[in-house]
Amino acid sequence: MDDLFFPYFIHLVALSISLSLIFLVYKKKSLNIKFPPGRTGWPIIGEAWGFVMAGKRGTPEKFFNDRMKRYSTEVFQTSLFGDNMAVFCGASGNKFLFSSENKHVATWWPRTIKKIIYFPEHVDNSSIEETAALRRFLPEFLKPEALQHYIPIMDSMAREHLEADWCPHKQVRVFPLSKKYTFALACRLFMRIRDPDHVTRLANQFSLVTDGLVSVPINFPGTTYNRAIKGGKMIREELLAIMKRREGELISDIKDDAGAIDLLTRMLITSDDNGKTMNHKEIANKIIGLLVASHDTTSSSITMVMYYLAQHPCIYQKVLKEQTEIAMSKAPGELLNWNDVQKMKYSWCVVCEAMRFSSPAQGAFREAITDFFYAGFIIPKGWKVHWSVHSTHKNPKYFPDPSRFEGSGPAPYTFGWRFLFLCTMW
């Protein structure tokens, strides 16, 4: 009996030794793995309070700069929106993230934000699937031929807006009026809504949504976040009603020039490779997402351009001279066109500088879809990733020249507004 048992005993000992060696090697390897330095803050809310309050005080860069000095100028760890998050810094971090799309990272929105924007049954949908669907529509909507069609519309609406809301007054508040104009323009281009009363009703609900996006996500009755969820629900229901009416008008819309078709209509009529069109709830989610991405950012940019022009009269005079020359070349009542916009070179440099110094958006989010290493640190699968304009925009290393936007412009991956819109959407 002992002779029969002995070989099994030897095998058992050998197996135990092998497993022990494997465990020791794995443990040694695990001890060498380093997570990005940083802290996760309080349970559940993490460092969200400091993140939100820095933005409300008008110093959002302080949240990032303090941690870059304390932990790392390449990548640091924090916790926002209930998730562990790695914040990538500098041009190298931006380049890595933008070149790793769907390889190491994928588009991600915080669940607290998706609860405001999306129908409840779509909150947990894959972000990869969401962005893949949107890619079918944006290239057609943003192609040069379509953009050329939008310029006269923008010009005519701007003239009407200035005549009605600016000219009659000696003093105006720029930001609220800019939001009024940009939201009306978005309603026109995205959904072909022209009725001012309809636009106002949507704008009132939308203001609740935008307020909630930058609030502490506490969903109790009466809180800003709770009101935002209710506002998002009302907008989605209104969009469903619009789509139901719009389907009866599609025949005439299809006969229009391709550039004249608004984005909502294009989503209704465009099908995938299998001939399947998007359902109405998915379209409503996309439209609200686009409104969020385009509305406050554009109105904030307009406001800051106006502010800096008032602070720097010499720059204002140069912009005025360029714009006056373009205006003088036009016939009475003639609207701006694509060629006119191409002549606004100095004006565009001023706009870029205003957006660099007072960026209307902070950055964008991603999710790690596999374990990967960056700057000697591991970013585990499932961790959230954030890039911020504040790690480059005010860094003299990247922007040393006062004429920084002339010629070839700033170095790649340093100026967020060259790629922020596409990053946010894609």
Side-chain angles (χ1 to χ4, degrees), residues 185-248:
L185 182 62
C187 287
R188 175 75 175 273
L189 298 181
F190 291 166
M191 299 173 283
R192 197 161 47 85
I193 297 175
R194 295 182 174 88
D195 178 27
D197 293 335
H198 194 178
V199 172
T200 299
R201 290 198 306 273
L202 285 172
N204 291 337
Q205 298 301 324
F206 190 73
S207 65
L208 299 177
V209 169
T210 54
D211 288 344
L213 294 175
V214 292
S215 68
V216 177
I218 299 176
N219 189 16
F220 291 146
T223 63
T224 301
Y225 184 70
N226 178 263
R227 289 194 295 269
I229 292 176
K230 292 179 179 178
K233 179 181 178 182
M234 294 186 69
I235 293 176
R236 292 193 298 270
E237 290 173 350
E238 177 65 22
L239 290 174
L240 292 179
I242 292 171
M243 283 183 271
K244 187 175 181 180
R245 294 194 300 269
R246 186 66 55 83
E247 284 186 322

Side-chain angles (χ1 to χ4, degrees), residues 66-351:
D66 288 352
R67 286 155 181 78
M68 288 171 64
K69 292 176 183 177
R70 190 181 307 160
Y71 302 122
S72 170
T73 58
E74 295 179 296
V75 59
F76 64 84
Q77 177 186 170
T78 185
S79 177
L80 300 173
F81 311 108
D83 291 282
N84 288 331
M85 188 167 294
V87 179
F88 280 56
C89 309
S92 298
N94 295 343
K95 181 179 180 180
F96 179 86
L97 290 181
F98 289 119
S99 60
S100 301
E101 191 72 17
N102 295 331
K103 178 183 178 183
H104 295 120
V105 297
T107 301
W108 176 80
W109 282 98
R111 197 172 191 276
T112 53
I113 291 179
K114 294 174 76 172
K115 285 180 69 175
I116 296 174
I117 298 174
Y118 290 174
F119 280 95
E121 59 267 35
H122 296 153
V123 167
D124 295 318
N125 283 6
S126 166
S127 294
I128 296 177
E129 295 175 1
E130 294 282 338
T131 52
L134 193 56
R135 285 174 181 162
R136 300 206 305 269
F137 311 103
L138 280 183
E140 187 73 15
F141 189 71
L142 296 175
K143 67 181 182 180
E145 295 84 356
L147 293 175
Q148 292 180 38
H149 171 81
Y150 306 143
I151 290 172
I153 297 175
M154 296 177 186
D155 188 18
S156 64
M157 291 187 65
R159 296 185 187 198
E160 294 171 2
H161 170 71
L162 292 172
E163 188 69 28
D165 296 325
W166 292 59
C167 293
H169 308 286
K170 292 182 179 180
Q171 189 178 55
V172 295
R173 297 180 64 196
V174 177
F175 187 50
L177 290 177
S178 297
K179 289 201 294 184
K180 180 179 179 180
Y181 165 69
T182 54
F183 189 77
L185 182 62
C187 287
R188 175 75 175 273
L189 298 181
F190 291 166
M191 299 173 283
R192 197 161 47 85
I193 297 175
R194 295 182 174 88
D195 178 27
D197 293 335
H198 194 178
V199 172
T200 299
R201 290 198 306 273
L202 285 172
N204 291 337
Q205 298 301 324
F206 190 73
S207 65
L208 299 177
V209 169
T210 54
D211 288 344
L213 294 175
V214 292
S215 68
V216 177
I218 299 176
N219 189 16
F220 291 146
T223 63
T224 301
Y225 184 70
N226 178 263
R227 289 194 295 269
I229 292 176
K230 292 179 179 178
K233 179 181 178 182
M234 294 186 69
I235 293 176
R236 292 193 298 270
E237 290 173 350
E238 177 65 22
L239 290 174
L240 292 179
I242 292 171
M243 283 183 271
K244 187 175 181 180
R245 294 194 300 269
R246 186 66 55 83
E247 284 186 322
E249 307 169 1
L250 288 184
I251 293 178
S252 60
D253 285 339
I254 293 172
K255 292 182 180 179
D256 289 341
D257 180 76
I261 299 179
D262 61 273
L263 186 60
L264 184 144
T265 301
R266 191 174 298 283
M267 287 182 171
L268 284 171
I269 65 178
T270 303
S271 57
D272 60 19
D273 295 337
N274 298 319
K276 182 181 178 181
T277 57
M278 292 179 66
N279 69 55
H280 289 189
K281 288 187 175 182
E282 290 176 330
I283 294 174
N285 292 340
K286 301 294 184 297
I287 293 294
I288 297 181
L290 286 166
L291 287 172
V292 168
S294 63
H295 173 247
D296 266 25
T297 52
T298 305
S299 52
S300 296
S301 298
I302 293 172
T303 302
M304 296 315 300
V305 167
M306 296 288 288
Y307 172 79
Y308 288 124
L309 288 177
Q311 295 292 312
H312 302 278
C314 59
I315 295 177
Y316 166 73
Q317 290 298 328
K318 292 180 181 180
V319 172
L320 179 62
K321 181 177 182 293
E322 183 176 76
Q323 294 296 319
T324 300
E325 290 174 354
I326 295 171
M328 294 297 291
S329 69
K330 309 293 289 183
E334 183 183 1
L335 297 173
L336 292 173
N337 56 44
W338 183 257
N339 291 332
D340 297 322
V341 173
Q342 300 304 302
K343 298 174 184 176
M344 301 179 186
K345 298 185 183 301
Y346 185 79
S347 299
W348 179 241
C349 288
V350 171
V351 172

Side-chain angles (χ1 to χ4, degrees), residues 367-397:
E367 181 178 27
I369 55 178
T370 184
D371 294 344
F372 65 90
F373 284 87
Y374 178 77
F377 303 105
I378 188 171
I379 311 298
K381 179 181 178 180
W383 268 37
K384 307 309 181 281
V385 177
H386 180 58
W387 71 269
S388 169
V389 298
H390 300 298
S391 69
T392 58
H393 274 201
K394 295 184 181 180
N395 190 332
K397 171 185 174 182

Side-chain angles (χ1 to χ4, degrees), residues 3-23:
D3 292 338
L4 292 174
F5 177 74
F6 186 73
Y8 292 103
F9 177 74
I10 295 298
H11 289 157
L12 182 62
V13 171
L15 180 61
S16 299
I17 293 173
S18 299
L19 291 175
S20 299
L21 290 173
I22 292 172
F23 174 76

